[in-house]
Amino acid sequence: MPAPIRLRELIRTIRTARTQAEEREMIQKECAAIRSSFREEDNTYRCRNVAKLLYMHMLGYPAHFGQLECLKLIASQKFTDKRIGYLGAMLLLDERQDVHLLMTNCIKNDLNHSTQYVQGLALCTLGCMGSSEMCRDLAGEVEKLLKTSNSYLRKKAALCAVHVIRKVPELMEMFLPATKNLLSEKNHGVLHTSVVLLTEMCERSPDMLLHFRKLVPQLVRILKNLIMSGYSPEHDVSGISDPFLQVRILRLLRILGRSDDDSSEAMNDILAQVATNTETSKNVGNAILYETVLTIMDIKSESGLRVLAINILGRFLLNNDKNIRYVALTSLLKTVQTDHNAVQRHRSTIVDCLKDLDVSIKRRAMELSFALVNGNNIRGMMKELLYFLDSCDPEFKADCASGVFLAAEKYAPSKRWHIDTIMRVLTTAGSYVRDDSVPNLIQLITNSVEMHAYTVQRLYKALLDDISQQPLVQVSSWCIGEYGDLLVSGQCEEEEPIQVTEDEVLDVLEGLLVSNLSTPVTRGYSLTAIMKLSTRFSSVNRIKKVVSIYGSSIDVELQQRAVEYNALFKKYDHMRPALLERMPIMEKTASNGPTEIMQTNGETEPSVPDTKHLPLVTQPANQANDLLDLLGGNDVMPVIQTTLPTKPASAGGELLDLLGDLSLTGGPTVVPAPAPSVPVSQPPFLLDGLSSQPLFNDTSAAIPPMTAYSKNGLKIEFTFERANPNPNIAVITIHATNTTEADMTEFVFQAAVPKTFQLQLLSPSSNIVPALNQGSVTQVIRVLNPQKQQLRMRVKLTYTHKGSPVQDLAEVNNFPPQSWQ
Amino acid sequence: MLRFLLLFSRQGKLRLQKWFTPVTEREKKKVIREMTLMVLARPPRSCNFLHWRDLKIVYKRYASLYFCCGLEDQDNELLTLEVLHRYVELLDKYFGNVCELDIIFNFEKAYFILDEFLMGGEILETSKTAVGIAMEEAETLQEVTPPPPPPPLTHTHGHLSLTHLPKYVNMFSVLFTDNGGVYE
């Protein structure tokens, strides 16, 4: 068999292919040749074949059949073989394949090889892709090499140790003795990797952190030497000596100085020195300054130093280099919470960055601007931000609109300003606003009673201009429906009143109904608005006509509404005025309500999360999983409990909060109910319960209560109600009482239902069931039963009684038929 | 630490990939595709930093090659630009005026150099000369395979005809290094 073609020749050949198909053909041919060569166990050319295979792998073709060959190469005695073998292992293998464990023995032998380059190969491979098992087996060898005097091996061993610690943190202790004199090395490679190793250990273990704090003086000295030392050709980068090492030391100092006054004091001088003396004309110098600023802001530095740091960031903001501006904005974003006032001083520069051409910078500037908005600067900032909203790319509009809403809600100087601002957003970025902005705005308008006339007038005018922006149209039609009488009467204190007739208003609303631009939801809004005007306007006949036309609409939603409104005209005309009355002021349950911190089921108030993105259903996840595990149920749906995101209490705009809200799909909203008896297109039913609307008791068909559980002195009773407006929802209130003489504390009630149902558990009244029936714990469960199947439930109860924890599982099957029919 | 380092051309062809965490093949392909799309879409004089998932992406263009890496939150982006620059300098020193073709035809050497400079996502060696020295010394250890036998010459009229000597008339000839061509 002729010798396999050489690597370079293969590369050349493949590059001559003119089409993808041609290339594939060549590759397949070559793969076949390589495969047969592998089968023949050809030692001489194995290396060449694997190298070719690696090339083809890079082009995107499968190369898994070469994995074992890599292992054979590693086991070979030839250095060339080993080199390619290890490279192949790093490219083709990872800890997912069992094959990789076969390498362990080879690596072990190579770690003890006589040639340092072979040892280096082994360390490199282990340090790049070693799995936890391999690391456990070979940690001892790595530790040995960490103590060698050969700096080439020592630096590799240090980074290999870092990898081992990352994979198997328990092995950290093992490397402690070897770190003793790592920092006294002269070799920069060893120094750098040692600092990385120390950093890794300190980050992972508070004990290690305490232990290594004593190294601060030594680190300061090394850093000082680097700065003061003369020119060293091998480490110099644009006049700075070994910037990589400098930055790494600064980072370790940051970790050591955090929350420790003494260490922070020890580094104050050197930080000030670096901050003032570093050359800033090139990127290198700025990289060091950047790290210095981050360190200063993170440790307990004196205030003078902090001001210096912020000023450096301020100078960065004015730098011509985009990268530096970006980095400055990012750092300011990190520090805006803690040093709010200092950052405020640079507000105008930050706002100017909104006009930057670069997309990354614009985004950062926008985030930072929102963080800087406060009661004092709201008017000015909002002007800039609205201008930005007008002119920015679509990818920003949604975030910006949300940010504006939140900022306006927090700091609006007056209601009129607030409404104007929201209207401006709706007119400029209407199609990008979040779905819940419509209900929020409606609630806001309802609550600002004195502004009704002004608002409806402005909205009407906006409608005349443009009916394409759906959120705006929806809000406008709602308002006209509610306050149409004010519009027509021409009373308005704030502005020049306009003359509008009833017919004109109805024309506009009917126009919405027929327009192609209106979505079904919008049509629903306008139909309802027209209906409401029947009690506020005098031209009832016209309204009756419109409503009856839509009684045969193709859109089921519209048809249902129209038919029900028709019924209102005909059979229930006496109820019409009462039903279509003005909406009362709604209670605010918006997601940023500062006081509503609802307790989750049995858990104490969750500590302010550092991850400010709080998706709606994460916290009870482990509880639900426990329940599922216990019940082993694949036919059981987990409990969906609701938690309100707690508002992290910090000044100056929770920026991440703003963005966190964006990921909440269907956050708690207040559903505007234009006419209580008409089913409105609903947000997911599960969130209905969060608004404080009273549930209508269906007194005409009372469902008898039942005892669901009674054991060991704990008795749980279920009482039932039907929830309006959805008759498929049964509302169960549990009452837990305790007949024993000791309280049951930490009482947690969990429930699971079969798949066809949906369950929602609201928060309990408390988690202590007092002894001797002195009181009870109540909790509301809502069950959606669209298929009207027989209700079954499994419950899990946990509590502590007389000091010992008690857990029990039970099935509840004796539901009265009325509860689910 | 760096999570990955990718080199790709203006047409999106991958020239080098180094992953510092275990990643499935499928995920690798996905990341490569997204990186190439994102980076190649950037207008010429933009900022070199991007945000993607929970990583910071730093990229820099050198001639026809894009160097792109993913960083964790704690890492210093400006310094990473220096890291990329240092790697290019090392390649340049080794290959002498490096160009994309060098990296295509000698990709395994590019990997070896990278492995002497970075390990596990961290910088291994900060000295400019140490990496070059290590590479040179390692090359001396490489066993040279016997050169291929020359093709037989045909004799016409008793003279040595030179017409059948192999002629490397392609434009890549200038790039073949003369170190014994171990893997060829």
Side-chain angles (χ1 to χ4, degrees):
Chain A
M1 168 148 188
I5 68 170
R6 293 166 176 271
L7 171 66
R8 319 257 178 250
E9 182 138 348
L10 176 70
I11 298 178
R12 201 176 343 125
T13 315
I14 292 179
R15 282 172 64 79
T16 60
R18 267 161 301 169
T19 63
Q20 185 77 347
E22 219 178 309
E23 181 183 283
R24 218 175 308 137
E25 210 182 298
M26 290 180 191
I27 299 235
Q28 271 171 358
K29 203 164 129 219
E30 187 57 38
C31 273
I34 292 179
R35 272 186 153 115
S36 38
S37 183
F38 283 163
R39 258 193 304 258
E40 288 169 18
E41 297 285 338
D42 185 341
N43 286 336
T44 337
Y45 295 111
R46 181 177 287 129
C47 180
R48 183 186 290 185
N49 285 328
V50 170
K52 288 188 286 189
L53 199 57
L54 291 179
Y55 177 70
M56 296 190 287
H57 176 251
M58 182 135 70
L59 292 178
Y61 296 91
H64 43 273
F65 57 90
Q67 286 169 0
L68 269 177
E69 302 299 315
C70 292
L71 294 179
K72 291 181 197 160
L73 283 175
I74 292 173
S76 152
Q77 288 310 310
K78 289 162 49 174
F79 181 69
T80 321
D81 283 357
K82 280 187 194 286
R83 234 181 170 189
I84 291 288
Y86 277 120
L87 178 63
M90 283 194 277
L91 288 176
L92 299 179
L93 288 171
D94 62 42
E95 54 191 43
R96 262 169 265 272
Q97 284 95 12
D98 296 324
V99 170
H100 83 281
L101 285 169
L102 297 172
M103 267 200 299
T104 316
N105 210 27
C106 285
I107 294 188
K108 189 169 190 166
N109 293 335
D110 284 340
L111 283 175
N112 293 311
H113 204 273
S114 48
T115 315
Q116 70 173 16
Y117 291 103
V118 174
Q119 290 174 293
L121 284 176
L123 281 169
C124 181
T125 308
L126 183 61
C128 274
M129 49 81 70
S131 63
S132 331
E133 296 91 355
M134 283 169 74
C135 287
R136 255 183 252 270
D137 289 336
L138 299 169
E141 305 293 328
V142 175
E143 197 257 341
K144 236 178 8 186
L145 287 172
L146 193 52
K147 296 194 275 219
T148 174
S149 53
N150 179 334
S151 50
Y152 177 79
L153 288 176
R154 210 166 183 206
K155 70 187 186 197
K156 292 204 175 200
L159 284 188
C160 197
V162 171
H163 179 86
V164 168
I165 291 174
R166 282 181 183 149
K167 282 288 185 196
V168 191
E170 302 88 61
L171 291 174
M172 206 188 317
E173 303 283 316
M174 194 172 161
F175 295 105
L176 188 52
T179 61
K180 216 184 291 249
N181 54 356
L182 273 178
L183 288 184
S184 26
E185 264 275 356
K186 289 276 178 265
N187 178 300
H188 280 224
V190 179
L191 264 181
H192 185 276
T193 55
S194 309
V195 173
V196 175
L197 178 59
L198 292 171
T199 312
E200 190 70 29
M201 291 168 112
C202 291
E203 275 177 342
R204 283 178 185 267
S205 156
D207 294 327
M208 292 286 183
L209 181 60
L210 282 167
H211 174 80
F212 286 125
R213 267 222 176 100
K214 59 179 193 280
L215 290 176
V216 170
Q218 201 174 359
L219 288 166
V220 169
R221 226 174 320 128
I222 298 175
L223 191 52
K224 201 167 191 149
N225 287 337
L226 276 176
I227 301 172
M228 312 301 274
S229 70
Y231 176 76
S232 151
E234 67 177 300
H235 295 119
D236 178 86
V237 179
S238 306
I240 298 185
S241 186
D242 208 341
F244 304 110
L245 183 56
Q246 287 192 33
V247 165
R248 221 47 229 233
I249 293 180
L250 285 166
R251 196 161 140 183
L252 180 55
L253 286 176
R254 176 154 87 236
I255 294 170
L256 293 174
R258 207 178 266 165
S259 44
D260 184 65
D261 292 319
D262 294 326
S263 314
S264 303
E265 209 185 305
M267 20 176 129
N268 262 327
D269 285 339
I270 190 71
L271 289 174
Q273 196 178 353
V274 174
T276 39
N277 288 345
T278 311
E279 179 67 48
T280 58
S281 55
K282 292 271 176 75
N283 181 57
V284 170
N286 289 319
I288 296 180
L289 270 184
Y290 175 40
E291 197 73 30
T292 314
V293 164
L294 288 177
T295 303
I296 292 175
M297 301 312 294
D298 226 6
I299 64 173
K300 293 193 173 264
S301 45
E302 48 179 37
S303 58
L305 206 51
R306 292 183 94 85
V307 171
L308 180 59
I310 302 258
N311 288 343
I312 291 177
L313 288 180
R315 256 184 295 134
F316 273 6
L317 276 179
L318 299 166
N319 196 307
N320 283 331
D321 188 338
K322 284 195 211 291
N323 296 332
I324 294 180
R325 288 211 295 277
Y326 178 89
V327 148
L329 288 169
T330 315
S331 326
L332 284 171
L333 200 53
K334 284 192 204 153
T335 62
V336 74
Q337 315 282 14
T338 43
D339 289 85
H340 190 80
N341 294 329
V343 180
Q344 282 281 2
R345 252 177 266 135
H346 298 279
R347 196 180 65 240
S348 49
T349 326
I350 293 170
V351 167
D352 281 337
C353 288
L354 283 173
K355 308 193 183 79
D356 200 298
L357 294 165
D358 187 284
V359 166
S360 311
I361 291 184
K362 271 204 275 225
R363 180 165 283 279
R364 287 277 176 244
M366 178 182 83
E367 291 168 3
L368 194 50
S369 304
F370 280 123
L372 286 178
V373 170
N374 63 23
N376 295 330
N377 57 30
I378 177 79
R379 284 189 193 264
M381 287 295 277
M382 200 49 82
K383 215 164 81 182
E384 295 285 343
L385 287 165
L386 287 172
Y387 180 73
F388 174 68
L389 183 62
D390 277 341
S391 51
C392 67
D393 301 325
E395 57 188 281
F396 290 119
K397 288 211 195 232
D399 295 337
C400 190
S402 302
V404 167
F405 282 153
L406 276 155
E409 209 174 294
K410 273 191 221 149
Y411 302 113
S414 74
K415 287 234 160 83
R416 173 173 168 168
W417 182 93
H418 195 170
I419 291 176
D420 282 343
T421 307
I422 297 190
M423 280 200 56
R424 173 92 182 267
V425 173
L426 288 179
T427 44
T428 50
S431 20
Y432 299 98
V433 297
R434 276 168 61 199
D435 294 331
D436 69 347
S437 56
V438 171
N440 282 342
L441 178 54
I442 287 177
Q443 182 186 52
L444 172 68
I445 291 174
T446 317
N447 291 348
S448 18
V449 178
E450 66 281 7
M451 300 297 304
H452 285 167
Y454 169 75
T455 311
V456 70
Q457 196 168 294
R458 279 213 61 192
L459 286 170
Y460 178 74
K461 279 200 250 183
L463 258 192
L464 291 176
D465 282 330
D466 174 22
I467 59 169
S468 62
Q469 308 258 38
Q470 297 306 299
L472 182 63
V473 173
Q474 287 167 10
V475 174
S476 305
S477 18
W478 189 92
C479 279
I480 293 176
E482 278 292 303
Y483 312 120
D485 46 337
L486 293 176
L487 181 60
V488 172
S489 69
Q491 306 164 338
C492 183
E493 292 122 23
E494 305 265 352
E495 250 189 35
E496 272 293 316
I498 56 175
Q499 302 296 344
V500 187
T501 64
E502 293 183 0
D503 278 325
E504 283 172 345
V505 174
L506 288 172
D507 283 341
V508 169
L509 286 176
E510 284 187 46
L512 291 176
L513 275 174
V514 301
S515 163
N516 285 335
L517 296 167
S518 302
T519 61
V521 172
T522 310
R523 292 208 176 97
Y525 270 93
S526 49
L527 186 61
T528 308
I530 292 178
M531 186 60 194
K532 278 197 256 186
L533 290 175
S534 71
T535 49
R536 295 159 175 70
F537 282 2
S538 52
S539 37
V540 181
N541 287 329
R542 180 172 173 182
I543 294 175
K544 267 197 203 165
K545 226 169 41 175
V546 172
V547 167
S548 62
I549 291 175
Y550 280 90
S552 43
S553 159
I554 296 181
D555 182 338
V556 176
E557 177 67 35
L558 271 185
Q559 189 188 97
Q560 179 167 15
R561 286 181 193 222
V563 164
E564 300 200 2
Y565 292 154
N566 250 336
L568 262 187
F569 273 125
K570 298 206 167 71
K571 270 203 315 190
Y572 299 100
D573 206 35
H574 52 284
M575 286 170 65
R576 189 164 49 90
L579 276 174
L580 300 179
E581 228 174 44
R582 217 24 88 89
M583 286 296 290
I585 295 183
M586 298 181 215
E587 279 196 30
K588 211 169 157 120
T589 56
S591 52
N592 265 348
T595 52
E596 303 274 272
I597 299 179
M598 288 173 76
Q599 302 234 336
T600 58
N601 190 8
E603 282 182 325
T604 51
E605 179 192 344
S607 55
V608 177
D610 352 321
T611 65
K612 303 210 174 138
H613 303 258
L614 197 58
L616 206 52
V617 201
T618 46
Q619 272 186 338
N622 29 2
Q623 291 183 4
N625 285 337
D626 286 345
L627 194 63
L628 278 182
D629 282 343
L630 268 160
L631 305 182
N634 1 18
D635 60 337
V636 168
M637 266 262 297
V639 169
I640 302 172
Q641 301 179 5
T642 53
T643 56
L644 278 186
T646 61
K647 180 174 149 125
S650 49
E654 294 75 23
L655 178 78
L656 296 175
D657 208 9
L658 300 180
L659 297 180
D661 278 336
L662 290 174
S663 58
L664 288 174
T665 50
T669 58
V670 173
V671 179
S677 64
V678 178
V680 184
S681 54
Q682 306 234 1
F685 98 103
L686 288 173
L687 301 173
D688 283 350
L690 289 182
S691 74
S692 51
Q693 309 282 5
L695 302 171
F696 290 99
N697 247 326
D698 196 352
T699 50
S700 53
I703 308 168
M706 61 174 260
T707 304
Y709 174 89
S710 179
K711 204 165 146 191
N712 294 334
L714 175 66
K715 179 164 152 203
I716 299 193
E717 248 196 33
F718 283 4
T719 54
F720 299 90
E721 281 162 0
R722 281 242 174 253
N724 248 327
N726 192 337
N728 286 334
I729 302 178
V731 180
I732 306 172
T733 310
I734 71 155
H735 304 266
T737 48
N738 171 7
T739 54
T740 67
E741 6 36 286
D743 289 344
M744 292 172 177
T745 55
E746 290 161 50
F747 176 76
V748 173
F749 174 88
Q750 288 168 293
V753 287
K755 246 194 187 148
T756 51
F757 298 85
Q758 276 184 51
L759 185 72
Q760 182 189 19
L761 260 184
L762 304 183
S763 309
S765 59
S766 90
N767 54 4
I768 301 180
V769 190
L772 298 171
N773 288 336
Q774 282 167 21
S776 66
V777 169
T778 56
Q779 193 167 5
V780 176
I781 310 172
R782 294 158 62 99
V783 181
L784 174 66
N785 185 0
Q787 296 179 22
K788 299 275 189 210
Q789 291 197 358
Q790 181 183 15
L791 184 54
R792 292 181 292 132
M793 197 185 279
R794 276 191 197 149
V795 299
K796 177 177 168 190
L797 305 156
T798 45
Y799 54 90
T800 306
H801 189 233
K802 293 180 186 165
S804 45
V806 180
Q807 232 184 45
D808 200 11
L809 283 174
E811 267 224 33
V812 184
N813 283 324
N814 51 334
F815 284 94
Q818 301 99 310
S819 64
W820 45 269
Q821 269 168 355
Chain B
M1 62 176 267
L2 267 70
R3 291 282 181 87
F4 57 82
L5 174 66
L6 304 173
L7 267 69
F8 47 85
S9 70
R10 300 270 291 281
Q11 288 74 38
K13 295 208 90 167
L14 191 66
R15 298 301 178 204
L16 194 132
Q17 53 175 326
K18 186 79 185 179
W19 303 88
F20 296 108
T21 50
V23 182
T24 58
E25 279 296 327
R26 208 150 153 239
E27 182 66 22
K28 280 185 197 171
K29 286 197 156 69
K30 191 149 159 255
V31 174
I32 292 170
R33 193 176 44 236
E34 286 193 30
M35 287 299 117
T36 20
L37 282 173
M38 268 187 357
V39 171
L40 293 175
R42 298 278 279 180
R45 261 185 297 276
S46 0
C47 177
N48 292 85
F49 309 133
L50 291 167
H51 215 82
W52 178 78
R53 294 196 192 166
D54 60 333
L55 295 179
K56 304 196 247 203
I57 307 293
V58 178
Y59 74 94
K60 190 121 200 266
R61 194 181 130 218
Y62 286 92
S64 56
L65 269 182
Y66 283 91
F67 288 65
C68 170
C69 54
L71 304 179
E72 288 178 345
D73 198 48
Q74 291 295 316
D75 295 321
N76 185 327
E77 300 98 309
L78 295 177
L79 194 72
T80 310
L81 284 175
E82 294 299 320
V83 170
L84 293 177
H85 192 75
R86 173 60 68 88
Y87 182 46
V88 173
E89 281 181 341
L90 293 170
L91 290 170
D92 196 58
K93 188 97 182 295
Y94 181 81
F95 288 108
N97 274 334
V98 67
C99 63
E100 187 181 346
L101 280 172
D102 289 321
I103 299 181
I104 295 172
F105 278 87
N106 301 285
F107 68 94
E108 80 281 5
K109 305 255 174 56
Y111 275 111
F112 296 152
I113 295 174
L114 185 63
D115 287 336
E116 292 294 328
F117 176 45
L118 300 175
M119 193 211 277
E122 306 282 358
I123 301 171
L124 176 60
E125 179 57 70
T126 58
S127 154
K128 286 191 249 195
T129 49
V131 174
I133 294 171
M135 285 297 287
E136 273 171 35
E137 291 189 8
E139 307 260 296
T140 62
L141 293 175
Q142 304 225 125
E143 300 87 356
V144 183
T145 55
L153 301 169
T154 56
H155 294 269
T156 54
H157 311 304
H159 296 286
L160 281 174
S161 164
L162 299 174
T163 52
H164 292 280
L165 281 176
K167 282 185 186 165
Y168 292 98
V169 225
N170 51 55
M171 56 183 172
F172 306 136
S173 58
V174 78
L175 297 165
F176 287 157
T177 51
D178 217 16
N179 62 349
V182 185
Y183 307 117
E184 293 182 14

